[in-house]
Amino acid sequence: EPEVTQTPSHQVTQMGQEVILRCVPISNHLYFYWYRQILGQKVEFLVSFYNNEISEKSEIFDDQFSVERPDGSNFTLKIRSTKLEDSAMYFCASSGDTYREQFFGPGTRLTVL
Amino acid sequence: QKEVEQNSGPLSVPEGAIASLNCTYSDRGSQSFFWYRQYSGKSPELIMSIYSNGDKEDGRFTAQLNKASQYVSLLIRDSQPSDSATYLCAASYNTDKLIFGTGTRLQVFP
């Protein structure tokens, strides 16, 4: 069964460093998303991406964040200068249709020291 | 502020019983509703989606939507210990952004 994959599973970084989280969405999906979940809190929407551009972003997704689809399979989230409060699980999701079912990857645990 | 509300639980049910999980949402403009299961330390796993009033059944799971009362529920029949997890309710409001509730922790004891 097709699934979303994410790498790395765990990323440890120093405050102020740049990180890139990678995702391979389900192959025939056209809509891509990033969510995050701080330990013990809700899953929060960050950004949605369709047709090579951002379709919606949350207040969390400030200038320190960017997304890119560098080729036909990968979808990346970059955090330019990490802060302690960026420590969270980051989930990539993809959907075949807008407003429809989103399938989540296993997540990347980001720890900022 | 669009909100999705869930009782955090835990909801404890014996094996074989029906577990009933509830969710309310604040915005009448919401269109689509989803139930996800999340095991500790894992990612959300889609269980059910529901878009129109009424019931939708899939195996042991039934989702119920009442738009007039702004209420979504998930029934799990013949609950198993492996169903023990946190169940997340999510809604989308005219976009594909999902708004999640805090989740209800379900414990199924043998």
Side-chain angles (χ1 to χ4, degrees):
Chain A
E1 185 172 327
E3 58 183 20
V4 178
T5 60
Q6 291 185 244
T7 55
S9 57
H10 191 187
Q11 174 88 49
V12 181
T13 190
Q14 295 291 324
M15 190 170 56
Q17 294 297 303
E18 175 182 288
V19 295
I20 298 176
L21 310 183
R22 291 182 168 80
C23 168
V24 179
I26 294 172
S27 63
N28 61 344
H29 282 184
L30 300 176
Y31 300 87
F32 314 120
Y33 314 89
W34 285 100
Y35 292 83
R36 79 173 185 189
Q37 187 175 31
I38 295 169
L39 187 63
Q41 297 188 24
K42 294 181 186 184
V43 176
E44 301 175 287
F45 170 81
L46 293 178
V47 65
S48 57
F49 191 87
Y50 168 71
N51 199 25
N52 282 320
E53 60 182 29
I54 291 173
S55 44
E56 189 172 1
K57 60 184 180 180
S58 71
E59 291 177 356
I60 302 167
F61 194 90
D62 61 20
D63 291 345
Q64 294 301 311
F65 291 86
S66 63
V67 289
E68 190 178 32
R69 187 157 166 80
D71 53 43
S73 59
N74 290 283
F75 179 51
T76 62
L77 175 69
K78 181 192 291 186
I79 309 175
R80 286 187 185 80
S81 178
T82 49
K83 306 181 185 68
L84 295 176
E85 54 265 36
D86 293 329
S87 294
M89 282 288 287
Y90 287 81
F91 298 113
C92 175
S94 70
S95 168
D97 295 293
T98 193
Y99 311 143
R100 295 293 184 255
E101 297 175 340
Q102 296 180 26
F103 297 91
F104 282 68
T108 293
R109 180 176 299 283
L110 177 65
T111 302
V112 182
L113 303 176
Chain B
Q1 182 81 356
K2 297 176 176 65
E3 296 281 347
V4 173
E5 300 289 341
Q6 295 182 258
N7 187 319
S8 61
L11 172 67
S12 292
V13 300
E15 185 174 356
I18 295 175
S20 177
L21 302 157
N22 305 312
C23 168
T24 58
Y25 58 94
S26 62
D27 191 332
R28 288 188 178 276
S30 55
Q31 297 176 322
S32 305
F33 305 89
F34 306 88
W35 284 100
Y36 285 85
R37 176 172 62 198
Q38 187 175 33
Y39 293 110
S40 181
K42 302 296 185 182
S43 63
E45 175 191 2
L46 181 67
I47 300 174
M48 297 278 289
S49 59
I50 187 164
Y51 309 109
S52 54
N53 279 326
D55 294 0
K56 179 181 177 183
E57 187 174 317
D58 184 0
R60 295 189 295 116
F61 300 97
T62 299
Q64 300 173 318
L65 174 59
N66 183 326
K67 289 190 175 183
S69 301
Q70 295 176 237
Y71 177 92
V72 193
S73 65
L74 180 70
L75 301 178
I76 307 174
R77 288 180 297 282
D78 188 24
S79 296
Q80 301 298 310
S82 58
D83 294 326
S84 298
T86 298
Y87 288 79
L88 308 178
C89 175
S92 64
Y93 299 80
N94 296 324
T95 72
D96 45 357
K97 174 177 79 173
L98 293 180
I99 307 289
F100 281 86
T102 53
T104 299
R105 189 156 61 94
L106 173 67
Q107 295 176 336
V108 181
F109 55 91

